Amino acid sequence: MKIWAMDMLRRWERGRCPRCGGKMDIVVSGNLIFHSCSNESCGYIRSDLYLPSNPLPVPVEEVITFLRNERREAEQSSSIIGWGRTIKQYRTGDRLGVIAELEIEVEEDQTIRPYDAVYYGRSLGVVMQRKERILKIIFDMMRKPPEEGDLRVSEPLMLYDSALEIIREKAPKYGKHLANIIEIPNISPPALMTPQNLVFQDGYGLDPEKRDAVEKILSMPEWDGLIIEGPPGTGKTMVIAAAAVEAAKRGDRALIISHTNVAVDNALERILSLDPEIGEKVARIGHPAKVSKRIKPLISGPSEAESRVAWMRRILKEKQIIGMTIAKLAVLDIYGLMQVSMLEGMWPTFDYVFLDEASMIPLAVSAIPLFYSKRWVILGDTRQLPPIIRTRHAYAGSKSILELMESSRPERVYRLTVQRRGNMRIFGPVNELFYHGMLRHHPSVSRSSLKFSAKGKPQSKLSEALDPDKPLVWIDVKGGVMEWCRVRRGRVESASGANLAEALIVLKLYKELREAGVRRSDIAIITTYRAQANLIRGALMELGMPEEPIIASLYREVGGRDFDILKPEDPEDILDLRFAETVDSYQGREKECVIYSLTSHRYHKALADYRRMNVAITRAKSKLIIVSSLGTFWKLPWIKAIRDRSSRMSVTLTELVTEKEWTCILNVFRRLCKP
């Protein structure tokens, strides 16, 4: 248990339940401390938020040590998984990338999925498709695929190299403003300028709290920072878009940045919707395979006759709003973006940086985008995804920049509270358990329900679960058991979990939703472990479903002798619920219907962080179905509370599943999972 959590527990006596007088249990999960009544028939529960106590600025040694450790761990995870030979290559139809078709030799137990990043020789590409010995990879125009070479899985190291160079070498001379968050020797942060008393003339139909947030952003003086805390569906993207458009209109340059492509694309798409004429002033820098269709025309890269330096100079002169991931900014930093900016008289490069989904970004990594801007707008939700880090040491540099800023600068926090995403019976338990009642439900969505086509409602033993009048449904699967499967990625071997019974129920639900006319693009399946996602995907194909469903998982795999070392999925996997061919990715973070397979039949560490469950639940707009084999809720009081607040039903496989379906799922399990 974390030291701070132990300290907090010592301060509380268990006490007695205020409702029934029973004994209270205390459980720490992430940054919440849950107090629940041990009397199961009572159901009383409350939580307290506890943010990191590290004051800003943090010691520079803790930031550098964290980055060095993370870089070392990333470097050790690199390994060759096979070999390839190019048999065909051609430009993409939009002329933004190069597709190479490879004949490959890959070790039998290596898994390669669409959208995986793979090095071919020295060129980093994104997997599009694999069919037996043929692999199709897409490269951006700055990368040329070789004729032949090794295939390697590796974490890009430029992120850590860029952050280390900025903090150790560049910031002492050119980035005094970073002294607001990091103790840089012999450097003091610049004094704040006088705030601009600006009155924002809203032409975007914003509600009062969003209008106030945009006005605060546009009134920020140089070297100031503002934190926008917003639970799911409260309009952080709209705030970014309106503020960026207004800043561009007055001649400022804005950087839209996040760890994930979907966050960047959502903001840029909203910008284009607010002001369709602004497109010529907007640039998207990124890999074409990771960018939404609507934003692809905005992708900018050097022409064949243009050097990287000339391209960066052109972009800075012509564009006012630039969107990219932090990893891409790290590449540009190493290529000389700071020097180019200074040559153009643009230092810092941007007047504003909008750092979205900041709960996932460690302070040490946030130094890259913050270094490049005069004003910092840090947006996110402290109750959603935490930073994904490899090392276990609790250095200050590993903590979320959002949590650190919020705990150290509470006077600079602005909260959004009106959610316009989902039915209040889905968001109500989340609001009660995780947000202490701060959320308000907008009337336009508070009673939304799943719509079926003229084909009519499903008529089966699962029809109760699909009832549109029951937005939140919990299905107890009798006899469901999770099995551990061996997983190999490069030279690292670990495990992942799959539950055949839950997978079969999910398949039945998905099939009935589709037969009732619910569009594929309106359904997402979320699982706790990747093996469960692979099992469901493989079974759908085996049963002849002519489509690829949207399936995401929370954890890639687990390691350690006791399966207690968690390896979370890339945040893109759970936050980007898009198809490759989806034109409008506004729905990238949400779906009308979500089916969530908990997978595990007993307590496991993968279920122990409420924040990941919160993310899975709040993807749903009108319908959430939780499929669970859990036989005990020991140390998981929030999961029990959600179950208690759901419409519940219990099923057994014998009354639902045919022999053909069972044989199918068993064959897929044996093929994909090696126990």
Side-chain angles (χ1 to χ4, degrees), residues 293-304:
K293 263 194 173 181
R294 189 178 180 193
I295 298 302
K296 275 188 180 180
L298 304 180
I299 291 179
S300 178
S303 63
E304 293 184 7

Side-chain angles (χ1 to χ4, degrees), residues 369-395:
L370 300 184
F371 175 66
Y372 276 93
S373 183
K374 299 175 185 176
R375 300 173 184 87
W376 306 343
V377 184
I378 298 171
L379 306 98
D381 180 2
T382 53
R383 295 163 176 85
Q384 295 244 332
L385 293 179
I388 295 177
I389 58 176
R390 297 170 182 82
T391 51
R392 290 188 164 190
H393 302 290
Y395 293 111

